[in-house]
Amino acid sequence: MAKGKKFISKKRKGSHKPINKRKKRTTKENEVTNKKAIFNRYKDKHKVEEEFAKKKQMEEKFRKQQTTYSESEEEEDDAYRQLVSCFKSSRKKDVVADSDDEEMSTSEESNISESLNETATNDETTLIEHMSDENNEICSNDDSTESSDEEYLVKEECDPETEVDATEDPFIKHLQYELQDELLVSLSNIPRTEKHITKSWSVLGNLAISIPQPVETSSKKSKPKFSILEEKTYAPIATIPQVYNKVNFNQLYIKSQISGNVVSANKINLIKRDLDIADVLTPLQKELFSVINIYQDLMFPERTFTNADEIRFTYCLHVVNHVLKTRTKILHHNAKLAKKSDLSEEYRDQGLVRPKVLILVPFKDAAYRVVKTLIDLVVPKEAGQVVNKNRFEDDFTGGELIMPSKNPKPEDYELLFSGNTDDTFRLGMTLTKKTLKLYTDFYSSDILIASPLGLRMIVGAEGEEDRDFDFLASIELLIMDQTDIFYMQNWDHLLHILDHFHMQPKKTHGTDFSRVRSWAVNGWTKYYRQTLVFSSIPLPEIMSVMNKKCQNYAGKVLVVNKPDVGSIQQVLVQVPQLFHRFNAANPLASVDARFEYFVKEILPKQRDTLMSHTLIYVPSYFDFVRIRNYFKKEDIGFVQICEYSKDPKIARARDMFFHTEAHFLLYSERVHFFRRFRIKGVRHIIFYQPPTYPHFYSEMCNLMQESNQNKYGGSDCNMTVTVLYCKYDMQRAAAILGADRIARMAASEKSVHMYVTGD
């Protein structure tokens, strides 16, 4: 009965004739032989289409000669036609065909395997199974000691949730593909072709979004297509960021390895905001992550001590997610290539060197907080191992400044300089599944945390023998936290480091160049690097870095909120405050124009005996030196306090100024930032330029209170504040006066405006 059923199943529909088994066997053997021969010749892609065209003609002739086919033979024909059609169909989105030497895609290999498996003999089946093994996405760990990584990767690969819309992952969309020629031309042009959009979000406020656009060509030449294999998928044009209303780890493409640690690591921030733990992220974090997660550059100039932890957690989450995705992809490809000898574009997953993330922070205490956040995200509560943790604790803690109990420093000073304030450090980190290794060599590290000075000492200067900057060649994420402090430390260090990004390495550093991404080999890494800048003030120098040093093809987002309330409202003393505007053709010319205006218009009036006890506040050290040299040349009585002054000289200068032995006191902004002296005896202040930090204006003005005065030094009625500014100082002046006042002053024909505050 079983044989009867088998015999009936092999009848063609509508026919009652039995099948000629000998004839069928001969046909099958011929089919298998031909298919196997074509399969072995598959690597020669130039002849693929010609071979299959000939084969199809033979198939048609053979079909005409046959009078009867079995159902199984028709299935073979269908499988064979599917094999042929796979070369005519468009490739998968996540596979880019760059050249004729590229390997076939996974879908093509699987189709060939399916069609051959139906008819192959035992030897052929062995060959096909060997090929199928190459497609299995079972990943072995690069660390043989961590066997659990392999199980994790297999589980993650088989999880249907991780496979949903994998091509829509921002990580894949941003780093997988090359840039089209028109977009490359636009990125290299000055100015670039960009689309500008303005958005208003509830927490971040006003956003200025710039997205590079491809250059439009007048005549679009159609490139000849030799085969469908030469079609290429290019990187998509960036889109406008959208706010994440609800946090879904799958929709945000956050790795499952860390998704379970997000709430516990962010719990402190949620409690501070009186939010439910179910919210996962605070409103500020949601909006920041909406921009960061799609790999667009971001400048956020409203960092405060209140939201610092929220910001730090957000970019640390992005860093860990990025590194884990890169590592997972490399491990998957390592497992495949262990069974393959040929490489294709889809296996290019690395840069010229290993370091991918650089986090710049000003002090060791800030670096300590970043590393602690990374530990909470990767290996919380002893869920894994932190190598060299004790050494890290010893190096990055302690050394706190002793704050005076008498005449305490301002609150922001105590918060800023709490913890270890050493500004010379660098730290390499390697991230695996359950291990965070600290103090790793730079060229075996995934994440680098350093200060600008610490990196500058390694990068060195032109002509030095012992210098190295190859580790900056493949940075994909650059994060600068507390960037305004870099300006107070030494802005030139930061600019020097940025000038050495993405240069051709002088050594190979063990790089497997067959795995290096094509755009990295072409020198286009600068177009893929994401830069995140967090600052407490919107400095023009920071904006210049964003415009000139950041060329991300995904575009940039700038938070641009106007200061409604200026720091002038914090001035407690009732003194006239004069704002003098001078003209300058350009920012470079403003340096000389400012000095000329000061020497000719301001200084002669202040040299009068009635104007003694005058403090000249100078933000730039170069201007400080220029004024000091002029005073020495003109034999003007003065004392000076700058960041390079020794403590005995500082004490002597303060004493002479208080007791009217010196008419002028030259006071640099950087010494006020790092020491925050409470200068006594000040009756007149000249701001050579508006202060970098707006609250410094009110701090200096409030030094003129009666409690700080020498009663023999002058009258309370004879006190003034003078500010010099030009149109290139409008941003600083707006932070002092407010956007509305400075707008009216800029539109006015008068060059001098006076304000009076106090009771």
Side-chain angles (χ1 to χ4, degrees):
M1 188 68 179
K3 291 183 179 179
K5 287 185 178 180
K6 185 175 182 181
F7 178 79
I8 294 172
S9 65
K10 290 189 176 182
K11 290 182 180 181
R12 187 179 179 181
K13 186 176 181 180
S15 172
H16 301 281
K17 296 181 180 181
I19 297 173
N20 189 335
K21 294 184 178 180
R22 180 178 297 176
K23 189 173 183 180
K24 173 185 175 184
R25 189 180 301 112
T26 303
T27 303
K28 291 179 66 176
E29 290 175 356
N30 292 336
E31 291 280 348
V32 171
T33 302
N34 292 334
K35 292 177 183 177
K36 185 176 180 181
I38 293 173
F39 175 73
N40 291 334
R41 294 196 301 271
Y42 178 79
K43 294 180 181 179
D44 191 359
K45 298 191 176 191
H46 291 288
K47 298 181 180 180
V48 171
E49 295 183 351
E50 183 180 356
E51 290 288 336
F52 278 100
K54 291 181 180 179
K55 182 62 186 175
K56 193 168 184 179
Q57 292 179 0
M58 294 174 61
E59 179 190 359
E60 294 294 336
K61 291 181 181 179
F62 180 67
R63 186 181 290 107
K64 292 179 181 179
Q65 295 175 359
Q66 301 300 322
T67 56
T68 306
Y69 289 97
S70 65
E71 185 176 359
S72 62
E73 288 175 321
E74 290 185 351
E75 291 177 356
E76 283 184 39
D77 292 339
D78 291 338
Y80 181 70
R81 284 193 292 270
Q82 183 180 5
L83 173 66
V84 177
S85 63
C86 74
F87 292 94
K88 298 182 180 180
S89 61
S90 59
R91 299 183 63 128
K92 296 171 74 174
K93 289 183 178 180
D94 57 342
V95 179
V96 180
D98 266 348
S99 63
D100 293 338
D101 296 330
E102 185 183 0
E103 293 289 335
M104 57 184 165
S105 67
T106 306
S107 61
E108 293 169 346
E109 291 179 347
S110 60
N111 287 336
I112 293 174
S113 300
E114 291 174 3
S115 61
L116 290 177
N117 279 335
E118 293 180 2
T119 57
T121 60
N122 293 336
D123 294 338
E124 295 159 353
T125 304
T126 303
L127 173 66
I128 296 167
E129 288 177 353
H130 174 71
M131 179 184 175
S132 300
D133 289 341
E134 295 175 355
N135 296 327
N136 290 337
E137 299 187 5
I138 299 177
C139 304
S140 61
N141 188 13
D142 52 353
D143 272 337
S144 58
T145 57
E146 295 184 15
S147 59
S148 59
D149 273 7
E150 183 174 350
E151 299 175 359
Y152 163 74
L153 293 174
V154 174
K155 181 179 178 181
E156 185 185 57
E157 185 82 13
C158 299
D159 187 0
E161 292 184 356
T162 61
E163 297 179 359
V164 175
D165 295 331
T167 55
E168 295 299 319
D169 187 347
F171 173 84
I172 298 295
K173 294 172 67 176
H174 185 71
L175 299 173
Q176 182 76 13
Y177 310 117
E178 291 187 19
L179 302 177
Q180 53 182 306
D181 295 339
E182 293 81 3
L183 187 56
L184 280 172
V185 173
S186 174
L187 293 171
S188 59
N189 286 342
I190 300 176
R192 297 189 294 180
T193 305
E194 293 181 332
K195 179 181 179 182
H196 300 280
I197 306 101
T198 302
K199 286 280 186 178
S200 181
W201 288 0
S202 58
V203 180
L204 293 183
N206 297 321
L207 306 180
I209 306 170
S210 301
I211 299 177
Q213 300 295 313
V215 174
E216 296 182 0
T217 55
S218 56
S219 59
K220 295 183 179 180
K221 297 181 180 180
S222 59
K223 298 180 181 180
K225 296 179 182 179
F226 298 98
S227 70
I228 198 69
L229 297 175
E230 294 184 356
E231 285 190 357
K232 208 171 189 178
T233 303
Y234 292 102
I237 304 300
T239 57
I240 302 173
Q242 303 294 330
V243 181
Y244 299 135
N245 294 323
K246 294 183 179 180
V247 178
N248 185 306
F249 293 131
N250 292 328
Q251 293 179 357
L252 299 183
Y253 297 94
I254 295 177
K255 296 289 289 184
S256 58
Q257 177 180 345
I258 59 174
S259 60
N261 305 331
V262 172
V263 175
S264 59
N266 197 34
K267 187 176 180 180
I268 297 177
N269 294 320
L270 295 172
I271 294 175
K272 284 182 179 179
R273 300 298 170 199
D274 295 329
L275 298 173
D276 189 359
I277 299 298
D279 291 335
V280 182
L281 298 177
T282 66
L284 174 62
Q285 290 174 335
K286 288 180 183 178
E287 296 192 3
L288 287 175
F289 200 71
S290 299
V291 177
I292 295 174
N293 194 40
I294 60 177
Y295 286 88
Q296 290 182 333
D297 291 349
L298 173 65
M299 176 182 170
F300 182 69
E302 299 180 8
R303 184 190 188 277
T304 63
F305 295 105
T306 305
N307 61 24
D309 292 334
E310 296 178 75
I311 294 172
R312 185 183 302 111
F313 177 84
T314 306
Y315 68 68
C316 285
L317 174 61
H318 181 59
V319 165
V320 173
N321 200 37
H322 177 84
V323 173
L324 289 178
K325 286 180 180 179
T326 304
R327 180 174 178 272
T328 303
K329 181 173 286 293
I330 291 175
L331 292 180
H332 285 171
H333 290 168
N334 287 346
K336 292 182 181 180
L337 294 174
K339 303 175 184 179
K340 276 190 176 183
S341 58
D342 299 324
L343 291 174
S344 62
E345 285 293 325
E346 65 176 305
Y347 296 111
R348 292 184 177 270
D349 48 21
Q350 301 175 20
L352 294 172
V353 289
R354 179 167 179 175
K356 294 174 282 294
V357 179
L358 173 61
I359 303 176
L360 292 176
V361 288
F363 303 121
K364 276 189 174 181
D365 179 69
Y368 178 80
R369 295 172 187 267
V370 170
V371 175
K372 294 293 286 184
T373 305
L374 295 175
I375 292 174
D376 291 341
L377 283 168
V378 181
V379 285
K381 297 180 181 179
E382 300 180 356
Q385 183 182 8
V386 180
V387 181
N388 294 323
K389 184 176 181 180
N390 293 334
R391 177 186 171 187
F392 170 74
E393 292 280 350
D394 294 339
D395 289 349
F396 284 78
T397 57
E400 296 90 349
L401 294 178
I402 300 176
M403 299 298 172
S405 56
K406 184 180 180 181
N407 295 327
K409 301 290 185 180
E411 182 182 3
D412 66 290
Y413 180 88
E414 294 186 358
L415 292 173
L416 178 62
F417 292 98
S418 62
N420 194 324
T421 56
D422 187 2
D423 62 351
T424 309
F425 62 90
R426 44 198 173 267
L427 177 67
M429 304 172 60
T430 300
L431 184 62
T432 60
K433 180 177 181 288
K434 290 186 177 181
T435 305
L436 189 64
K437 301 177 183 178
L438 306 178
Y439 293 96
T440 54
D441 179 72
F442 270 18
Y443 292 99
S444 60
S445 301
D446 298 313
I447 305 171
L448 306 179
I449 302 178
S451 65
L453 178 59
L455 276 191
R456 175 67 185 266
M457 295 176 66
I458 298 179
V459 172
E462 191 69 30
E464 296 182 3
E465 294 183 1
D466 188 14
R467 60 185 308 220
D468 184 17
F469 47 82
D470 289 353
F471 57 88
L472 299 173
S474 297
I475 296 297
E476 297 168 0
L477 292 182
L478 170 61
I479 300 171
M480 296 186 286
D481 198 2
Q482 296 178 277
T483 313
D484 52 290
I485 301 179
F486 301 158
Y487 185 76
M488 288 292 125
Q489 292 175 332
N490 195 326
W491 191 248
D492 184 64
H493 292 340
L494 178 64
L495 297 180
H496 186 76
I497 293 169
L498 294 177
D499 288 337
H500 287 79
F501 267 70
H502 312 307
M503 300 181 72
Q504 182 176 345
K506 295 181 178 180
K507 299 180 181 178
T508 59
H509 303 287
T511 303
D512 182 3
F513 289 96
S514 62
R515 299 284 295 278
V516 178
R517 294 186 177 99
S518 299
W519 47 262
V521 176
N522 293 333
W524 299 339
T525 309
K526 60 184 178 181
Y527 299 133
Y528 288 80
R529 189 193 78 214
Q530 181 187 26
T531 306
L532 307 177
V533 179
F534 302 98
S535 170
S536 62
I537 48 176
L539 281 175
E541 289 80 3
I542 299 178
M543 183 65 69
S544 177
V545 167
M546 293 294 295
N547 292 333
K548 295 181 179 180
K549 306 292 185 181
C550 304
Q551 303 175 5
N552 187 358
Y553 82 89
K556 60 186 175 184
V557 177
L558 309 177
V559 178
V560 286
N561 294 320
K562 296 179 180 179
D564 296 330
V565 179
S567 62
I568 194 173
Q569 296 192 4
Q570 307 301 323
V571 176
L572 303 177
V573 293
Q574 188 173 4
V575 295
Q577 301 164 49
L578 299 170
F579 287 79
H580 292 256
R581 185 178 70 228
F582 63 92
N583 298 323
N586 53 65
L588 186 60
S590 67
V591 178
D592 293 331
R594 189 187 310 276
F595 182 75
E596 292 295 328
Y597 190 88
F598 171 76
V599 170
K600 294 180 180 180
E601 301 293 335
I602 305 299
L603 190 58
K605 300 176 183 178
Q606 295 295 137
R607 293 185 67 175
D608 189 278
T609 309
L610 296 176
M611 306 298 288
S612 61
H613 294 276
T614 298
L615 183 146
I616 304 176
Y617 182 97
V618 188
S620 171
Y621 183 70
F622 299 105
D623 292 331
F624 181 91
V625 173
R626 188 173 187 177
I627 296 172
R628 182 187 65 189
N629 293 341
Y630 179 80
F631 278 16
K632 288 181 177 180
K633 180 181 177 182
E634 297 296 327
D635 195 20
I636 300 174
F638 76 101
V639 290
Q640 58 175 320
I641 299 177
C642 68
E643 56 270 28
Y644 302 109
S645 302
K646 304 295 183 181
D647 286 344
K649 289 188 176 181
I650 293 175
R652 182 170 180 270
R654 296 177 66 180
D655 182 72
M656 292 179 65
F657 181 72
F658 180 77
H659 293 97
T660 325
E661 297 178 32
H663 189 95
F664 291 101
L665 169 61
L666 285 182
Y667 189 67
S668 71
E669 183 176 66
R670 289 176 67 187
V671 73
H672 185 70
F673 176 83
F674 286 106
R675 306 292 294 272
R676 211 64 68 90
F677 290 122
R678 185 172 295 180
I679 306 297
K680 294 185 177 182
V682 179
R683 292 192 177 274
H684 306 277
I685 299 178
I686 299 175
F687 288 96
Y688 189 76
Q689 185 179 5
T692 303
Y693 290 88
H695 65 275
F696 283 0
Y697 179 82
S698 57
E699 274 187 23
M700 297 303 299
C701 292
N702 290 333
L703 292 177
M704 302 167 70
Q705 296 182 53
E706 185 178 357
S707 58
N708 296 326
Q709 297 296 337
N710 182 351
K711 60 181 179 179
Y712 303 107
S715 170
D716 294 341
C717 300
N718 185 24
M719 301 174 72
T720 59
V721 175
T722 304
V723 183
L724 276 66
Y725 74 100
C726 66
K727 61 181 180 181
Y728 301 107
D729 301 319
M730 288 298 184
Q731 194 171 46
R732 294 188 179 195
I736 297 174
L737 295 172
D740 295 336
R741 291 194 186 98
I742 200 65
R744 290 194 299 267
M745 289 170 56
S748 174
E749 296 180 357
K750 297 180 180 179
S751 60
V752 181
H753 296 80
M754 186 179 71
Y755 293 92
V756 179
T757 57
D759 296 334

